[in-house]
Amino acid sequence: MNKKIWDLYAPIYERAMRSDRKVYHFMYQRIPKVIEGKDVLEIATGPGLLAKHISHAANRMTATDYSDGMIAEAKKGTYPDNLTFEVADAVNLPYEDNSFDVVLIANALHVMPDPEKALEEIDRVLKKKGILIAPNFVNHKRGLISSLWSGILKIAGITFEHQWSTEEYREFLEKNGWKVKNCKEMQARISIAYVECVRNR
């Protein structure tokens, strides 16, 4: 994915996501229960929507994106003191091994040419009994609205490298060393599979 596309998209990203607010409301309610008192890393935070809503529950939270434009947007406004925003590449994270209790990566693995590498980096920076929270778009072309929205994003230069069903996404995670402990498919313009994982070993 061209980094410049995300930089250009950054100022309008939050408005584009507003029609899916019901899905995000679920995550705003669920994720704080999982991360309470923990050290959290978010990958692909975008303009920081999730981070700003959930970081209050964490001990500390570092929210990252490889787009400078997205991080510039994320730093706008007010947010808790335990939350920091940083530019970082998901496949080459600048953090030491075993640094975080939880890693969150939402709606990003499907746009990565090499999501397996991102999962390897997540495995590296997570503590031994760490949790991976990885909600992701699924069923990209199931239904008219989903197909139309996928087409609009493609025109805008945002392509989906991987187009999984919920079951295929679970299989992908499990194949790469993760055991899915919680999975919930949620309806949106493009459906989202909300998953919580632990290492499968």
Side-chain angles (χ1 to χ4, degrees), residues 89-184:
D89 189 339
V91 299
N92 187 24
L93 295 171
Y95 308 111
E96 295 182 359
D97 297 358
N98 309 308
S99 295
F100 299 95
D101 302 299
V102 180
V103 174
L104 166 65
I105 179 169
N107 298 330
L109 290 170
H110 67 294
V111 299
M112 295 179 179
D114 189 8
E116 294 86 357
K117 178 59 178 175
L119 290 176
E120 288 176 6
E121 278 291 271
I122 290 168
D123 181 51
R124 181 182 66 78
V125 301
L126 262 182
K127 295 178 183 178
K128 184 176 181 180
K129 295 185 178 180
I131 300 169
L132 167 62
I133 304 175
N136 206 85
F137 289 125
V138 293
N139 304 326
H140 299 81
K141 294 184 178 180
R142 182 180 296 175
L144 178 61
I145 294 176
S146 179
S147 296
L148 286 174
W149 186 240
S150 296
I152 291 169
L153 292 175
K154 185 176 182 179
I155 292 170
I158 299 172
T159 57
F160 298 152
E161 299 287 342
H162 309 277
Q163 299 192 21
W164 296 298
S165 67
T166 296
E167 186 56 36
E168 287 168 342
Y169 182 51
R170 288 186 61 140
E171 290 173 357
F172 165 75
L173 292 170
E174 290 172 357
K175 181 180 178 181
N176 284 277
W178 300 93
K179 183 176 182 179
V180 177
K181 301 290 287 185
N182 185 20
C183 180
K184 176 182 176 68

Side-chain angles (χ1 to χ4, degrees), residues 3 63-69 71-72 75 85-89 94-95:
K3 186 175 181 179
T64 68
D65 201 284
Y66 90 141
S67 163
D68 298 89
I71 292 300
K75 289 181 176 179
F85 290 104
E86 300 177 359
V87 176
D89 189 339
Y95 308 111

Side-chain angles (χ1 to χ4, degrees), residues 33-102:
K33 298 175 183 177
V34 181
I35 69 171
E36 186 173 3
K38 294 180 170 62
D39 294 338
V40 182
L41 172 67
E42 184 183 15
I43 297 170
T45 190
L49 295 177
L50 268 175
K52 290 176 180 178
H53 279 84
I54 67 173
S55 57
H56 64 88
N59 176 47
R60 66 179 176 93
M61 183 168 183
T62 304
T64 68
D65 201 284
Y66 90 141
S67 163
D68 298 89
M70 286 294 189
I71 292 300
E73 288 296 314
K75 289 181 176 179
K76 294 178 180 179
T78 59
Y79 46 87
D81 292 338
N82 68 333
L83 172 61
T84 58
F85 290 104
E86 300 177 359
V87 176
D89 189 339
V91 299
N92 187 24
L93 295 171
Y95 308 111
E96 295 182 359
D97 297 358
N98 309 308
S99 295
F100 299 95
D101 302 299
V102 180

